[in-house]
Amino acid sequence: MKVRWCIGDKLFGAMAVLVLFVTAGYFGATQGYLKNRFEDYFKEKTTERFETHYKEHQHSWEGIEGIRTSYEGERRSPDQREIALLSPDGSLLFHSGAGDPGSLIRTGKRNTVMINGATVGTIYVDRWETAEDDRIKKYILDSMRTSALRVPFVTGFLALLLGLWLTKKITQPLNRLIPAIHQIAAGELPLRIAVTTKDEFGKVTESFNHMAQQLFRAEEVRKNLTADVAHELRTPLSIIHCHMEMIQEGGRDIPPETLLPIQDEVIRLSKLVDDLHQLTLAEAGRLRLDRSPTDLVPLLDRILDMLKPEAEERHIEMIRSYPEQPLHALVDANRMTQVFYNLLVNAMRYTPSGGKISIRVTERSHEKSRYVSVTIEDSGVGIEAERLPFLFDRFYRVEESRSRHTGGMGLGLAIAKEFVEAHQGVISVQSEVHRGTRFTVQLPCPQQSVNPINGEG
Ligand code: ATP
Ligand code: MG
């Protein structure tokens, strides 16, 4: 079923119900409410006539027999209304009409005549309106009834026109969206729809475009990942393959140094598999975190101790700047060890001999949130500004040859970012070519889950 008819049906159904309600309301108002209003009006009018007579005759019922309660012609007709007036003591003061006053007083409608708060008489009638009044009332009510019956036809027709117009307006954007959804489902991910309105449909279209873009990106990432993994596997596997061939050709005795390159490549492959596993877990939000308040200073010191021999050998100065009091961050110590290890190994890799690496731990606060900030700054080669946005991407290396030579696979920073973000933290980088690079990691302090601010603060 086409969207237009789906929505059109419902819209028209809703309008038809609305029209029926309006008509029923209108009918009820004209027939019930107006009838009562007429009755009230004629009652007041009749009573007023008696009051006026009473006042005009020095507050007495003198000459009441001559009061005109009906029109001339009506007085002689058989449908003349019956009226009686009783004094407060119950004596009959006036009566007009063909019937018996006794039965009128028993069964008729009545109203008291009040002057200055005192009852001066009671009127009894078989109906409040005169025959003439009755004709006018019937004429008005009949004409309203007729128009009440016309209302559903006119409004129904208008509702149909309005419904058609509204249906067209509502379904037009949806009809553009549905083929696009089918195209996306068929794999046409780069597809985008032009946003022509600013209303809800505009927002839906924007969200659709955003979703299509995300899907497209995810698909690109998937393709790139497969290509990158294949690329990373190729080199170590071909090295292993070559060495194995050499071993096979060289006879029985295998000198240990022949096995060393194979072992290196196996280690490299194991690291790649392990890194990819961690990264996939973190990206899927399935990274198990054993978070507890952790003083980051001893954690950093342990890593620095591991790197000390290499730093000493290359005369790289490690400058530590720690707070006087222990500062706790709510983290998984093992995961954060891996983050800082990756950052410090990078700093060592890309800092020439004789350079400096400084590690600073400080406490920061922003809008009632407290967080620990760790800065690792080196005086190394630095990174070009245009490369910084891609630095945390998987398998991204600033310089392919430089990194291959130093053995990196381009996963260290991607892992660091995922781990930090899994802790609701932020990692950022600033760098200047030939001057050095600074990484800042901000991690929440215990008893708060608010995101630290972006950047260095
Ligand atoms: P891996 O960490 O997986 O062994 P890697 O160190 O090459 O490999 P990342 O840690 O993700 O990968 O770093 C990505 C790239 O960023 C590096 O290849 C390097 O070019 C650049 N980079 C990272 N840290 C620094 C730094 N401190 N100074 C200069 N360049 C850096
Ligand atoms: Mg690295």
Side-chain angles (χ1 to χ4, degrees):
M1 197 188 238
K2 263 191 109 180
V3 182
R4 176 173 298 181
W5 298 123
C6 276
I7 293 181
D9 271 4
K10 290 181 184 103
L11 208 65
F12 190 69
M15 282 186 170
V17 170
L18 196 72
V19 167
L20 280 178
F21 265 114
V22 170
T23 312
Y26 183 69
F27 210 79
T30 52
Q31 301 309 301
Y33 176 74
L34 276 184
K35 242 184 198 167
N36 287 342
R37 293 294 299 158
F38 272 125
E39 172 100 355
D40 289 347
Y41 171 72
F42 293 133
K43 185 175 168 183
E44 255 173 52
K45 201 175 134 190
T46 309
T47 312
E48 224 176 72
R49 183 156 296 171
F50 281 90
E51 281 171 4
T52 313
H53 179 95
Y54 189 85
K55 282 181 194 161
E56 281 175 356
H57 290 81
Q58 287 82 40
H59 286 240
S60 77
W61 291 117
E62 209 183 304
I64 191 68
E65 357 22 275
I67 192 169
R68 295 184 63 179
T69 54
S70 316
Y71 296 97
E72 200 54 45
E74 191 186 338
R75 270 196 256 155
R76 275 172 266 118
S77 82
D79 64 340
Q80 180 197 2
R81 67 171 167 168
E82 263 199 84
I83 299 188
L85 175 71
L86 287 196
S87 69
D89 60 11
S91 52
L92 182 66
L93 297 171
F94 169 81
H95 176 249
S96 83
D100 163 40
S103 76
L104 176 66
I105 288 162
R106 273 194 309 280
T107 57
K109 300 168 181 175
R110 64 183 194 152
N111 195 25
T112 48
V113 183
M114 307 269 289
I115 304 289
N116 299 333
T119 306
V120 294
T122 307
I123 309 168
Y124 293 85
V125 293
D126 60 345
R127 58 170 199 267
W128 288 110
E129 63 273 20
T130 61
E132 182 65 18
D133 288 341
D134 195 40
R135 266 195 297 282
I136 296 170
K137 183 182 95 176
K138 278 197 179 121
Y139 176 77
I140 293 174
L141 286 179
D142 282 351
S143 61
M144 290 192 95
R145 197 177 302 134
T146 322
S147 62
L149 290 174
R150 272 191 215 127
V151 167
F153 289 106
V154 176
T155 44
F157 181 67
L158 288 178
L160 181 68
L161 289 184
L162 190 70
L164 285 176
W165 179 75
L166 275 177
T167 309
K168 196 169 171 232
K169 215 167 155 46
I170 292 171
T171 54
Q172 219 168 26
L174 275 182
N175 280 334
R176 274 195 295 140
L177 208 59
I178 288 169
I181 291 172
H182 288 309
Q183 276 170 279
I184 291 273
E188 277 183 54
L189 297 179
L191 184 95
R192 300 289 175 271
I193 308 171
V195 182
T196 47
T197 53
K198 282 187 178 163
D199 56 11
E200 277 67 21
F201 283 112
K203 283 182 196 147
V204 169
T205 313
E206 262 174 32
S207 305
F208 174 85
N209 285 344
H210 181 68
M211 180 199 74
Q213 193 180 349
Q214 294 292 98
L215 281 175
F216 180 64
R217 257 197 228 142
E219 183 61 12
E220 288 292 293
V221 168
R222 191 187 63 79
K223 282 185 198 155
N224 289 346
L225 178 67
T226 317
D228 287 337
V229 172
H231 179 74
E232 288 303 320
L233 289 176
R234 197 176 299 126
T235 316
L237 284 177
S238 61
I239 292 172
I240 293 171
H241 184 74
C242 278
H243 282 274
M244 297 293 271
E245 273 185 352
M246 273 164 55
I247 291 166
Q248 276 175 344
E249 282 164 12
R252 269 203 192 158
D253 291 336
I254 308 163
E257 61 272 18
T258 315
L259 287 176
L260 271 179
I262 298 177
Q263 199 187 1
D264 278 354
E265 292 310 321
V266 170
I267 291 170
R268 205 175 140 80
L269 277 178
S270 306
K271 185 177 178 299
L272 171 69
V273 171
D274 194 43
D275 281 357
L276 276 174
H277 178 62
Q278 303 278 341
L279 201 55
T280 318
L281 280 183
E283 280 174 349
R286 290 198 290 125
L287 196 70
R288 224 179 64 81
L289 290 181
D290 193 4
R291 296 170 79 167
S292 59
T294 309
D295 185 358
L296 295 180
V297 168
L299 186 146
L300 285 162
D301 276 342
R302 272 196 296 277
I303 305 169
L304 291 172
D305 286 347
M306 283 196 294
L307 299 173
K308 199 172 165 189
E310 190 187 340
E312 279 176 356
E313 192 187 316
R314 295 177 50 213
H315 303 288
I316 292 175
E317 193 186 351
M318 298 285 204
I319 305 159
R320 305 170 202 215
S321 162
Y322 294 153
E324 283 171 14
Q325 302 291 327
L327 255 184
H328 292 94
L330 190 62
V331 292
D332 179 322
N334 287 333
R335 306 288 186 197
M336 288 324 293
T337 302
Q338 198 171 342
V339 169
F340 293 123
Y341 180 80
N342 286 357
L343 295 177
L344 285 162
V345 167
N346 278 353
M348 289 281 282
R349 254 185 211 161
Y350 303 111
T351 301
S353 299
K356 272 189 251 170
I357 298 175
S358 56
I359 303 100
R360 199 167 71 241
V361 180
T362 48
E363 187 189 7
R364 298 284 168 97
S365 57
H366 177 72
E367 289 174 2
K368 293 188 191 159
S369 307
R370 281 171 53 247
Y371 56 96
V372 181
S373 168
V374 180
T375 311
I376 295 170
E377 188 168 3
D378 62 58
S379 61
V381 293
I383 304 158
E384 293 91 340
E386 64 269 23
R387 295 191 180 270
L388 290 179
F390 311 104
L391 211 63
F392 297 100
D393 289 356
R394 277 182 292 202
F395 295 110
Y396 185 79
R397 303 182 190 98
V398 169
E399 221 176 273
E400 197 77 0
S401 59
R402 173 176 103 185
S403 301
R404 276 221 167 276
H405 176 68
T406 45
M409 281 184 294
L411 286 176
L413 287 180
I415 291 174
K417 182 172 183 275
E418 290 297 333
F419 281 15
V420 169
E421 287 177 358
H423 285 85
Q424 285 88 49
V426 172
I427 183 167
S428 58
V429 60
Q430 288 163 313
S431 188
E432 232 181 285
V433 179
H434 303 310
R435 297 201 74 142
T437 305
R438 177 168 59 197
F439 283 93
T440 306
V441 175
Q442 297 168 32
L443 295 162
C445 288
Q447 269 130 39
Q448 63 171 66
S449 53
V450 190
N451 251 6
I453 53 161
N454 280 315
E456 211 186 342

